[in-house]
Every structure is written in C-alpha cells, then in structure tokens.
Amino acid sequence: MQKYSIFNLVKNAFSNHQNWDLAWKDPTPKEEYDVVIIGGGGHGLATAYYLAKEHNITKVAIIEKGWIGGGNVGRNTTIIRSNYMHDENGLFSEFGMDLWRKMSQDLNYNVMFSPRGIINLAHSDAQMNAYARRGNSMRLNGIDAVLLNREQVKEIIPMADFSDNVRFPIFGGLMQPSAGTARHDAVAWGYARQADSMGVDIIQNCEVIGFDVSAGKINGIRTSRGNIKAKKVGLCVAGSTNILAEKLNMTLPIETHLLQACVSEPIKPVLDNVVTFGAGHFYVSQSDKGEMVMGGDLDGYNSYAQRGNLPTLQHVLTEGIAMMPFLSKLKMLRTWGGIMDMSMDGSPIIDKTHIEGLYLNCGWCYGGFKATPASGWTFAHTIAQDRVHELNAGYSLNRFSTGHLIDEKGLGTKTWIS
Amino acid sequence: MLYINCPHCGMRSQNEFSYGGDASVKRPELNKEVSDQEWDSFVYNRKSLRGKHLELWQHISGCRQWIKVERDTATHEIFRTFKADEEVA
C-alpha cells in the first residue's frame, strides 16, 4: 500500500496527482471466506480492520448493499465522547477514546480528530447535582470530567443566552475536555483502505437476500451477486438490522427510527466546543468549514425513510435558539436524515446469537459514530475468539430478558415518554 | 409533515399526535401463567417492519383518544386509520 506522507505528496505532485493507487479495490466475491461482515459502514469496516490487525484473520469480506460509508457514518454529527455514568458505557467508550487519539497514525489517514471538549449544560440545581454525580462516576472510571459553574460556562461560550429572564437559565455544565469531533468520512475511508491493504475484500453494490443456516449453524449468505460460504458472519447494519433479523426468524429489542441533523451556512469561528442543551435534546458544534452542525431528537415514529419531517426539525432548532439566540440569524444550508437502530434501553448490543457463527452488532441509537473504533475492536474480538470481551460483556442480547438493562438516560425508542 | 385522519376528529397534522408504537403487539393474557420469555417479547421485542406497519398514535392535542394507523415506514404514506377498539382485517 502506498503510504500517505508529505514525501509521497510532493512526489505525486510531479505527475499532477494522476498516479496515486486506488485507496481500495473492487473485487468480485470469492466462493468462501472465514468471516463475512455484512454492512460496510464505520463499524463493519472497523471490525474487518481489527480482525486482520489484531487477530490475523484476513480471509474476510465486507458485504455492502450500497457504497461504503453511505449510511450513518456519512450522516452523523461527528461527536466523540465518553461522558457516561454507567461502567459498561464509560469503560467501553473510554477504550474507544484511546483508539481515537491514535487513529490518524494507526490508519495513516488524517481523520482530523479534534479533542475540543463537550459541555452538557445544566438548567437547574437538580441537574447540577445529577451532573456532579455523573462527573464523579466518570472520574472513578478514569475519564476526565469538570463541573463548571455559570461563570465558567459563560467564559467558554459567551454567545449562549445568559440573560435573566429565560425559561431555562444556565446554572452550569459538565465538561469532558478530551471529547471532540472527527472527520466522519475519513474514518470510514481510513479503515477501508487499511482493511483492503491487509487482504479484506470490500464488496459493494451487493445486497444480502438470505442466510444459509442448518442445524443451528451458519454456513453462508445468499446475495444479489451469488452465494458466499462463510464460517462466521457478523451483522453490522444499524437501521437495517430488523430487515436481516427477519430473514433469520429473529425478533430483536430494536426499532428503526429516523434521526435528523442539519448544518447552517458557514460562518467565522465562533464555537470552540461541542455544546448540548440540558432542558431538551439539542447539540451543536462548528465544523472546520465553519458550518454550525446541529441535531437533536428522533422524529419519533418507526421509519426507514432516511429523510425527516419539518415538525421535529423545528422543535429541535427552537431548543437551539433558546440556548444560543444568534443561531436564529443563520440560514440553513442542508438537512438530512438517517435511520437508527434504537435499542429498548438506549445501549448497544455486541454479542453472539443463538445461531452458531452468527454475531450481532446493533442498537447504537444516537451514539454510533463515536463508538466506531471500540465497536469494531470488540466485535472483531467477539467474532475471532467466539466469546465476548469484558468491554462488551454488558452489551449482551439477553440482558432484556434477564433484567440487566443499561439505562444510561432512558433514551431508547420510546421518545413519547420523555 | 404527516397528516393523520383521526377517526373521531378528522384530518389533523402530526403536531397534534403522539406516537405509541407497534399496535400488533399483544399483552399476555391476565390470570394466566406467563413465562419470562413471553414478557420479554411483549415488553421489548419488535418486528419493526419496513413497509406497511400498524401502529398506535394518541391524538394528544385533540380528542386525546388512542387510535390505530396503518402507515408505510419506508414512504410515510398513511393508508387507513381505525378507532383503538376496531378490529383490523
């Protein structure tokens, strides 16, 4: 593989950048693989990469219905954080933070990781107490957390509404300084390029239409480009999880919902951090291009549409304007939607299934992007060793029947309760 | 914007409604031994169909009645609406 470096950049400049190698190949599916990963998004690509890198399993195919990185890894708001209270989520995400910090070097691809800090705003004394508790839990798990009072928040984000007569005054906030953002597409492309260079076949425009299961064991998959035999199959398909589960006669604690995001026109640098509104569900950061990147609630009903409706967008942006009134002066540049695999407790599932050789990675709700490296790493471990790693032991499929839910914020599918 | 034809009030915008999830889920019968598996399925497991989906909505800013709506989850087209106790063929 051609290394991306300043020297290669200069060298290729002499040929007008016409002779760069393709970042990944376009192979035809082989008859058989050791592992087939269904879903060429961030998690699937990361899984294939860590299978090759950590477990030396390279007879791997990624099967993608569309093009790689065209789903949620290309549609998210690029936030990376590990500000969780529960041990399962905190330790898992903090492990991921370590991978994020090394990612650009590791992948030889600039993912533009920018640890600019995230601030969750508090709007009542009770919320400050809750944040103090969460911050303490985070610090016990080795995650950085700083409780900010109103004045400290004002120093960092003076453009927020600190006037006295607002419905939700800012009391303070909880900050994770090491959280941040990254260039989402680069993450998918970086993993794809490295996985490909280690022998993984990235097969695009290939839809899975069925599974070959006999005697409780997976033997392969049927696709629009022919049958493929596989010893092990990993499902990494986010919002399409239920569609594939139905072909396996599985009913999962997952519903597919619509989540929108939007960006404003680009403006000069104004916001250094990621900021979330504490009296609703709204978050904002500023991209390197200057756009304000914003998002919030689900549209609230089951959907596979990948495009949203205006009432939710209006609701979300109303919260944004309550938090930072200057946002009302900006023009909207783009809005888009993606389909989320919403689990019933708001936490993901990375586990084996009742079918031997079939592994499940789903339920990422609002937080799939930041989990990309940790999800790929632990899913690769689960597939390669045929047992879960201690980092994803809590993300079991049967926790719903045994009662071991991880209800971090109660943010599952049931938005109408909140 | 979705427009939902409330069987009690007529055509109203989605702003007046609150979503209640899959309407085909049946609560296990009362006064009967119910296994953990059955409770698990009832509380958590959903088919989340792509295509025609029968679901519950509440006309929360209108008559406050729960209704059933048959809607396409891929196109958002709404085909039919029913009163909560109406049997859907």
Side-chain angles (χ1 to χ4, degrees), chain A residues 42 59 61 100 157 178 191 204 208-209 221 225 250 254 272 277 298 402:
Chain A
K59 225 177 138 193
W100 277 112
I157 48 165
S178 68
Y191 275 124
Q204 306 181 75
V208 172
I209 47 183
I221 58 171
R225 292 174 68 177
M250 288 167 76
I254 301 277
D272 297 331
F277 186 52
L298 297 175
T402 61

Side-chain angles (χ1 to χ4, degrees), chain A residues 190-222:
Chain A
Y191 275 124
R193 176 167 160 268
Q194 286 292 343
D196 175 88
S197 78
M198 289 189 281
V200 172
D201 280 359
I202 298 173
I203 300 160
Q204 306 181 75
N205 298 311
C206 181
E207 184 178 358
V208 172
I209 47 183
F211 295 86
D212 180 8
V213 180
S214 60
K217 193 179 177 316
I218 195 110
N219 302 314
I221 58 171
R222 295 194 296 277

Side-chain angles (χ1 to χ4, degrees), chain B residues 27-82:
Chain B
R27 188 189 170 93
E29 269 180 54
L30 288 172
N31 305 322
K32 213 191 90 189
E33 193 65 29
V34 181
S35 69
D36 287 356
Q37 214 60 52
E38 282 173 276
W39 273 121
D40 183 34
S41 292
F42 165 64
V43 178
Y44 296 116
N45 293 341
R46 295 292 178 269
K47 290 208 171 86
S48 192
L49 301 173
R50 188 181 197 279
K52 267 191 188 175
H53 188 238
L54 190 68
E55 55 203 19
L56 291 168
W57 289 74
Q58 191 187 8
H59 195 183
I60 198 154
S61 305
C63 61
R64 300 193 62 81
Q65 295 294 312
W66 283 93
I67 61 169
K68 289 184 210 164
V69 176
E70 190 184 50
R71 188 180 59 94
D72 193 308
T73 56
T75 64
H76 294 172
E77 184 182 356
I78 292 172
F79 305 103
R80 296 182 293 174
T81 55
F82 308 88

Side-chain angles (χ1 to χ4, degrees), chain A residues 242-243 246 251-258 300-305 307 309 311 344 400-401 405 414 416, chain B residues 1-2 14-15 18-22 40 43-50 53 55 57 71 73-76:
Chain A
N242 284 299
I243 297 173
E246 196 192 352
T251 314
L252 297 172
I254 301 277
E255 266 182 18
T256 296
H257 280 255
L258 183 56
Y301 42 84
N302 291 41
S303 176
Y304 287 90
R307 64 176 185 280
N309 269 323
M344 293 294 164
F400 298 91
S401 50
L405 303 191
K414 294 180 169 52
W416 65 89
Chain B
M1 177 81 81
L2 302 180
Q14 85 182 73
N15 290 332
S18 169
Y19 184 65
D22 190 339
D40 183 34
V43 178
Y44 296 116
N45 293 341
R46 295 292 178 269
K47 290 208 171 86
S48 192
L49 301 173
R50 188 181 197 279
H53 188 238
E55 55 203 19
W57 289 74
R71 188 180 59 94
T73 56
T75 64
H76 294 172

Side-chain angles (χ1 to χ4, degrees), chain A residues 114-388:
Chain A
S114 161
R116 56 182 67 185
I118 185 168
I119 301 171
N120 302 134
L121 294 180
H123 307 276
S124 67
D125 283 325
Q127 205 166 15
M128 282 299 280
N129 289 342
Y131 281 179
R133 181 177 177 229
R134 175 148 63 94
N136 284 334
S137 299
M138 287 165 62
R139 294 175 74 129
L140 286 172
N141 280 333
I143 304 164
D144 56 328
V146 185
L147 195 65
L148 306 171
N149 62 29
R150 180 178 161 94
E151 290 311 310
Q152 289 168 312
V153 173
K154 195 172 179 178
E155 214 154 277
I156 302 172
I157 48 165
M159 76 297 274
D161 195 346
F162 287 93
S163 51
D164 293 326
N165 57 347
V166 290
R167 173 67 183 84
F168 299 108
I170 295 168
F171 275 57
L174 181 66
M175 183 172 190
Q176 186 193 1
S178 68
T181 59
R183 171 93 172 93
H184 53 167
D185 295 319
V187 175
W189 298 335
Y191 275 124
R193 176 167 160 268
Q194 286 292 343
D196 175 88
S197 78
M198 289 189 281
V200 172
D201 280 359
I202 298 173
I203 300 160
Q204 306 181 75
N205 298 311
C206 181
E207 184 178 358
V208 172
I209 47 183
F211 295 86
D212 180 8
V213 180
S214 60
K217 193 179 177 316
I218 195 110
N219 302 314
I221 58 171
R222 295 194 296 277
T223 78
S224 56
R225 292 174 68 177
N227 295 349
I228 300 171
K229 281 190 230 157
K231 295 188 187 77
K232 295 177 176 181
V233 174
L235 247 57
C236 250
V237 292
S240 302
T241 302
N242 284 299
I243 297 173
L244 290 186
E246 196 192 352
K247 298 181 198 300
L248 289 155
N249 292 321
M250 288 167 76
T251 314
L252 297 172
I254 301 277
E255 266 182 18
T256 296
H257 280 255
L258 183 56
L259 182 62
Q260 297 190 69
C262 59
V263 294
S264 74
E265 60 185 325
I267 55 173
K268 290 198 169 172
V270 57
L271 181 62
D272 297 331
N273 317 92
V274 182
V275 181
T276 73
F277 186 52
H281 194 178
F282 172 83
Y283 46 86
V284 61
S285 64
Q286 189 170 19
S287 75
D288 290 342
K289 284 185 283 184
E291 304 153 330
M292 306 303 285
V293 186
M294 300 170 280
D297 269 326
L298 297 175
D299 272 35
Y301 42 84
N302 291 41
S303 176
Y304 287 90
Q306 288 190 314
R307 64 176 185 280
N309 269 323
L310 277 177
T312 303
L313 204 57
Q314 189 178 26
H315 169 76
V316 166
L317 293 173
T318 305
E319 296 174 54
I321 290 164
M323 183 175 94
M324 291 184 179
F326 83 95
L327 293 174
S328 69
K329 304 292 180 201
L330 302 181
K331 291 189 178 65
M332 183 81 77
L333 193 67
R334 293 191 306 279
T335 80
W336 65 93
I339 54 172
M340 308 296 121
D341 36 339
M342 301 302 294
S343 69
M344 293 294 164
D345 62 354
S347 297
I349 296 162
I350 307 177
D351 204 357
K352 298 162 65 170
T353 65
H354 70 282
I355 298 169
E356 197 188 328
L358 183 77
Y359 305 84
L360 190 61
N361 179 334
C362 63
W364 291 99
C365 300
Y366 301 90
F369 176 67
K370 61 140 202 298
T372 304
S375 163
W377 196 94
T378 52
F379 197 39
H381 180 280
T382 305
I383 293 171
Q385 312 271 334
D386 194 37
R387 62 186 166 84
V388 295

